[in-house]
Amino acid sequence: MARNALEASIEKIKSDWGPLSSEVVAACRRHMENLLEASSTEEWLATLHRQGPTDSELYRDPAHGFVLLAHTESEGLYRPPHDHGRGWVIYAIQRGEIEMGTYGRIDDPDGSVRLVKRGSTVVRPGEVQVYLPGDIHDTRCLRGPALLFRFTERDLKKEDREAQRVTRYVERNGAWTVGPA
Ligand SMILES: [Fe+2]
């Protein structure tokens, strides 16, 4: 029996879990939206608001491997375009406002790589954004401190450091590209 909204959401995600599909994404999205409705009087959420950790692991599933993180971001914080390797993620905004841009990767015939920005959206409290494997996005905290929950289908630190599947883009001559800055 769940003691709070955090445990309730995790239990529901576990029961709906499966290989990546529209149904699994829709279910997880719904459970993350429900998590955003948690009362800020719940102890775990009150603690996050009070302490404002930049990086806090709320849950890691031993069977399925998904990880739920919380990040507190200060106004103006910018995270450059990146993908999530083989993983998919859900960003859920609990407070503050974060602008999220999405990009397409263009591999030019000469072998060079550049990103083209598709557009951006301002994500507000109660709202979520889903990024599937291969999606490229950036984030900018417009109003802080922002608290965002980041549900990741797998451990992205492992995906980055061990599998080296996460691509981070760098700005060169006014365009986003790969490789050393
Ligand atoms: Fe991301």
Side-chain angles (χ1 to χ4, degrees):
M1 189 61 190
R3 287 176 299 144
N4 55 40
L6 176 59
E7 287 188 5
S9 293
I10 286 165
E11 278 175 20
K12 285 178 186 152
I13 289 170
K14 277 158 109 169
S15 73
D16 286 332
W17 194 248
L20 176 58
S21 69
S22 301
E23 291 72 24
V24 167
V25 169
C28 291
R29 186 185 181 107
R30 199 167 58 243
H31 303 324
M32 290 302 290
E33 285 168 347
N34 288 339
L35 182 61
L36 293 175
E37 289 171 6
S39 164
S40 53
T41 59
E42 288 197 13
E43 183 53 32
W44 65 277
L45 186 50
T47 301
L48 287 173
H49 283 165
R50 197 168 54 244
Q51 297 180 345
T54 54
D55 206 336
S56 171
E57 186 173 300
L58 301 180
Y59 179 77
R60 173 179 294 260
D61 193 85
H64 306 303
F66 62 77
V67 181
L68 179 61
L69 301 145
H71 303 282
T72 302
E73 296 194 344
S74 52
E75 203 163 295
L77 181 79
Y78 179 63
R79 298 186 197 272
H82 58 275
D83 63 27
H84 308 96
R86 293 165 293 182
W88 54 275
V89 304
I90 302 177
Y91 286 77
I93 307 302
Q94 202 277 332
R95 70 171 173 180
E97 274 180 15
I98 297 185
E99 182 176 39
M100 300 200 188
T102 63
Y103 296 79
R105 174 182 168 134
I106 307 298
D107 288 81
D108 283 323
D110 66 359
S112 64
V113 170
R114 62 197 165 89
L115 296 184
V116 174
K117 189 167 185 173
R118 181 176 290 113
S120 65
T121 185
V122 177
V123 194
R124 298 189 169 87
E127 298 176 347
V128 306
Q129 286 285 306
V130 176
Y131 295 106
L132 298 175
D135 284 349
I136 299 165
H137 81 124
D138 63 3
T139 68
R140 187 185 302 278
C141 180
L142 296 182
R143 189 167 59 79
L147 174 61
L148 70 100
F149 301 131
R150 195 161 61 111
F151 173 88
T152 66
E153 174 261 350
R154 63 183 71 203
D155 183 336
L156 287 186
K157 281 188 180 145
K158 272 192 184 168
E159 186 71 356
D160 188 11
R161 289 186 199 144
E162 293 170 25
Q164 301 189 325
R165 297 292 287 260
V166 171
T167 304
R168 289 194 175 74
Y169 293 85
V170 296
E171 199 165 19
R172 199 184 296 132
N173 303 325
W176 292 105
T177 185
V178 288

